[in-house]
């Protein structure tokens, strides 16, 4: 694809695309956002005008099969990912899917198989694998800065969201779309990055509860796991607690690494030689490095760290924790 423009079609124009993702596709040289589509056509027109996208499709299938479009970014809620992904695979096009890949491991597997059978590139928007902050953590681990890694611990909690105290519908807490609630949407980021930093998972177990009865999905999940390397892990996610906390510690035989998944862009290394802190500010369009890496992968320059297969493994871990596997 050298010297060729890759024209993208975008299905779904929700909040994640406003700043985080779509502008990144527009800013990467060699990529062009050709068209967008959402169920409410008038909102799609408004979105296209605001983002200077030249075309709007009324129907997803028309967008997917448009000969002017080379690649499709699926940015809809996860319960529709399988349906659209199979259409994209059938059309023989490049695809990037928002995370999680789907609500279940089995659906994720079906998506991956469809693209593998046709030898088509499939990426997933676990963009933290491409961010400098998490690659600094990986650098410390790979260089042996904390010796042998022993355990990773993540505690995430926050007060209840205002939207959940209202009557406003929220797909993120609908058990038919996201059975784990915000765990599906947020914990998937951290569990995916741990797989990137520490290698694949061997086993995972968890328990969940709906403590507040504000919605149909879970609002509290606890889990433990072990990586193929023997590194153990534990996590707690609660969406009705007193304060907001987002604390990750990677324990090693000769030190520790402290950071957060969503909050402070800071990495702290603690060893017998002292404490070292580095700051890695998030870019305005947080998926920019992820999208740049899609281009590099398509050019054959490097392998993208977040593919359909890596996301499939994260789906497996999520299912195991929620006792769905």
């Amino acid at each position: 694809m050298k010297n060729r423009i890759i024209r993208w079609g975008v299905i779904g124009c929700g909040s994640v695309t406003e700043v985080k993702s779509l502008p990144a596709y527009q800013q990467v040289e060699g990529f062009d956002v050709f068209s967008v589509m959402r169920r409410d056509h008038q909102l799609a027109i408004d979105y296209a005008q605001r983002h200077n996208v030249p075309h709007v499709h009324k129907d997803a299938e028309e967008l997917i099969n448009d000969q002017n479009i080379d690649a499709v970014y699926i940015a809809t809620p996860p319960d529709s990912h399988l349906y659209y992904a199979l259409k994209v695979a059938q059309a023989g096009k490049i695809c990037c899917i928002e995370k999680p890949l789907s609500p279940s491991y089995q659906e994720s597997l079906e998506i991956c198989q469809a693209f593998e059978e046709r030898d088509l590139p499939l990426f997933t928007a676990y963009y933290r694998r491409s961010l400098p902050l998490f690659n600094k953590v990986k650098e410390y681990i790979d260089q042996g800065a904390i010796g042998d890694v022993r355990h990773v611990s993540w505690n995430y909690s926050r007060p209840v969201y205002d939207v959940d105290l209202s009557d406003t519908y929220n797909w993120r807490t609908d058990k038919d779309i996201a059975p784990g609630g915000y765990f599906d949407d947020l914990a998937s980021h951290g569990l995916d990055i741990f797989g990137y930093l520490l290698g694949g998972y061997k086993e995972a177990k968890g328990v969940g509860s709906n403590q507040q009865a504000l919605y149909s999905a879970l609002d509290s999940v606890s889990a433990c796991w072990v990586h193929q390397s023997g590194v153990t892990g534990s996590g707690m996610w609660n969406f009705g607690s007193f304060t907001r906390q987002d604390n990750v510690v990677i324990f090693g035989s000769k030190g520790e690494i402290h950071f957060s998944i969503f909050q402070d862009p800071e990495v702290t290394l603690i060893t017998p030689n002292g404490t070292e802190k580095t700051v890695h500010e998030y870019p305005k369009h947080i998926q920019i490095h992820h999208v740049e890496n899609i281009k590099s992968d398509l050019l054959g320059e490097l392998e993208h760290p977040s593919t359909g297969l890596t996301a499939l493994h994260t789906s497996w871990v999520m299912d195991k924790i929620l006792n769905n596997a």
Side-chain angles (χ1 to χ4, degrees), residues 71-102:
V72 179
Y73 167 39
I74 300 171
T76 57
D79 63 319
S80 60
H81 288 181
L82 174 64
Y83 176 80
Y84 291 130
L86 294 183
K87 297 286 186 184
V88 176
Q90 187 176 20
K93 298 189 176 180
I94 301 161
C95 189
C96 181
I97 303 176
E98 263 304 325
K99 44 64 57 189
L101 190 54
S102 84

Side-chain angles (χ1 to χ4, degrees), residues 27 53 120 133 150 189 205 257 266 269 302 309:
Q27 291 180 13
V53 178
L120 293 168
L133 185 150
R150 303 299 191 203
H189 270 297
K205 297 180 180 179
I257 305 171
E266 184 177 272
L269 172 68
L302 60 79
L309 289 178

Side-chain angles (χ1 to χ4, degrees), residues 31-255:
F31 281 4
D32 174 53
V33 179
F34 180 82
S35 182
V36 295
M37 173 269 165
R38 67 185 304 173
R39 286 175 295 182
D40 188 317
H41 188 58
Q42 287 305 123
L43 288 179
I45 292 172
D46 172 72
Y47 183 94
Q49 291 173 343
R50 288 187 293 105
H51 288 275
N52 297 312
V53 178
H55 302 281
V56 179
H57 279 77
K58 286 187 175 181
D59 178 80
E61 199 158 345
E62 287 179 4
L63 180 148
I64 291 166
N65 291 298
D66 188 324
Q67 293 184 354
N68 294 300
I69 290 174
D70 308 296
V72 179
Y73 167 39
I74 300 171
T76 57
D79 63 319
S80 60
H81 288 181
L82 174 64
Y83 176 80
Y84 291 130
L86 294 183
K87 297 286 186 184
V88 176
Q90 187 176 20
K93 298 189 176 180
I94 301 161
C95 189
C96 181
I97 303 176
E98 263 304 325
K99 44 64 57 189
L101 190 54
S102 84
S104 73
Y105 171 74
Q106 286 303 320
E107 284 192 5
S108 298
L109 179 61
E110 193 173 345
I111 291 171
C112 287
Q113 287 175 336
F115 282 84
E116 278 190 344
E117 287 169 3
R118 295 165 177 82
D119 195 25
L120 293 168
L122 174 62
F123 307 98
T124 310
Y126 281 117
Y127 54 82
R128 278 173 171 74
R129 289 177 176 238
S130 296
L131 287 173
L133 185 150
F134 300 99
N135 279 291
K136 182 63 176 180
V137 176
K138 185 169 175 57
E139 178 185 306
Y140 281 144
I141 293 170
D142 293 347
Q143 291 178 349
I146 61 170
D148 296 326
V149 179
R150 303 299 191 203
H151 183 82
V152 59
S153 171
W154 181 22
N155 290 327
Y156 181 91
S157 63
R158 61 157 297 135
V160 62
Y161 289 94
D162 289 341
V163 66
D164 299 320
L165 296 173
S166 70
D167 293 327
T168 305
Y169 175 75
N170 182 5
W171 66 261
R172 290 175 175 84
T173 54
D174 182 341
K175 68 178 178 61
D176 293 326
I177 297 176
Y182 292 112
F183 172 82
D184 288 3
D185 189 35
L186 300 178
S188 58
H189 270 297
L191 291 167
D192 183 79
I193 204 68
F194 298 153
Y196 175 61
L197 297 173
L198 304 171
Y201 292 83
K202 182 179 180 181
E203 186 56 88
K205 297 180 180 179
V207 292
S209 176
N210 184 325
Q211 297 176 335
Q212 303 170 93
L214 290 174
Y215 40 77
S216 60
L218 300 176
D219 61 14
S220 178
V221 177
S222 296
C224 60
W225 61 84
V226 61
H227 293 266
Q228 297 285 350
S229 61
V231 174
T232 55
S234 59
M236 179 279 286
W237 305 268
N238 192 284
F239 299 94
S241 58
F242 178 56
T243 60
R244 183 175 181 181
Q245 297 188 27
D246 179 5
N247 305 312
V248 178
V249 183
I250 297 179
F251 300 89
S253 60
K254 297 180 180 178

